[in-house]
Amino acid sequence: MKAMIFAAGLGTRLKPFTDNAPKALAPLAGKTLLYHVITRLRSAGVDEFVVNVHHFPDMIVSYLENEFNGLDIKVSDERDRLLETGGGIRRAEALLSDSGPFIVHNVDIVTDLDLQWFEARLRPGAMSALLVSERKTKRYLLFNEDGRLVGWTDVSTGAVKTPFRNLDVASCRKMAFGGVHLMSPDIFRTFDRIDEEPSAFPLYDGDGRMIEGSDRPLGERFPIMDYYLRAAAEYEFIGVAPRNLVLIDAGKPESLAEAENFVNGRV
């Protein structure tokens, strides 16, 4: 199985560390964030890796060569331009699309997710399964009674994005995204589909008004959530919410101690 690890980001929440190093190499329990993600994925059966790079790319490449020499790890180079999450996946198409479903994992997510169980949750015909939970946050993905993605909301502002003009937000299940995806390789053809006919995939706000700019091609650089929300009009993306999930966003200083305790078995 293949996995892509997002390691290209600027890591602004971890400043000042990321003024001189990439977030992926932030220390955690004597190793790095990147080390812990790779070793967990390996233990779950992942044997091919793609790691994207942009911020201090040579440091990540050198680290991978020294720490994981012999492991099948390919680098997706975004030195020229940070492509965001969706664009990063799109650039790595040649490295990911030649086999079955693949994992996409944020480098700063520390979790006890059973990845083999998660893999089995991808429905036939679905483009992606998204790890979600009921943790408290401001921004939620919206799902219908069948667990299918239908929109997004920011509860602090009341903002809504949905491909369905008359969506009843109150009837939707609100879930927080957990930074892990399982994607069908068919997802790449749907990127092309939106670019070929972008006006067929607009987004609407909570009042049914089309959101400006949401009818444009995806292009080379775009957030994966923008793609999910637009493509949800035609394609199926499902939310998967494991019971009793431990999920820590270790990309901010206040969470690193919690992540360290978890990794060291103290929680």
Side-chain angles (χ1 to χ4, degrees), residues 248-260:
I248 304 166
D249 176 1
K252 47 190 179 180
E254 58 268 30
S255 300
L256 280 174
E258 181 186 1
E260 184 129 351

Side-chain angles (χ1 to χ4, degrees), residues 90-245:
R90 191 172 203 176
R91 174 165 288 191
E93 177 178 0
L95 304 176
L96 295 168
S97 63
D98 60 347
S99 59
F102 56 90
I103 292 283
V104 177
H105 201 299
N106 290 6
V107 76
D108 53 8
I109 291 297
V110 176
T111 178
D112 65 350
L113 173 67
D114 182 336
L115 285 162
Q116 294 177 338
W117 175 88
F118 184 56
E119 182 183 1
R121 305 279 80 75
L122 186 63
R123 296 174 187 166
M127 288 295 137
S128 185
L130 287 68
L131 178 66
V132 295
S133 68
E134 294 183 337
R135 64 186 172 87
K136 201 165 186 178
T137 184
K138 293 181 180 178
R139 300 174 183 89
Y140 292 95
L141 296 177
L142 302 174
F143 296 89
N144 66 13
E145 64 275 9
D146 295 324
R148 181 170 177 166
L149 180 68
V150 293
W152 168 96
T153 188
D154 183 331
V155 296
S156 68
T157 64
V160 171
K161 296 179 182 179
T162 176
F164 304 107
R165 190 190 291 268
N166 298 313
L167 181 71
D168 180 7
V169 174
S171 69
C172 297
R173 188 178 184 190
K174 298 179 178 67
M175 303 294 286
F177 177 55
V180 182
H181 329 232
L182 178 67
M183 295 185 175
S184 164
D186 290 338
I187 203 166
F188 294 106
R189 68 172 172 80
T190 69
F191 293 159
D192 296 337
R193 169 90 171 83
I194 293 177
D195 278 353
E196 290 163 3
E197 196 177 354
S199 61
F201 295 91
L203 292 175
Y204 301 95
D205 64 18
D207 295 320
R209 297 182 297 250
M210 193 184 85
I211 296 172
E212 184 177 356
S214 68
D215 57 346
R216 298 171 184 164
L218 294 170
E220 183 184 25
R221 181 177 185 267
F222 59 95
I224 192 63
M225 281 302 163
D226 283 3
Y227 155 77
Y228 280 149
L229 293 170
R230 292 181 65 184
E234 187 169 319
Y235 301 101
E236 183 178 20
F237 307 97
I238 61 170
V240 177
R243 293 182 179 179
N244 304 314
L245 177 72

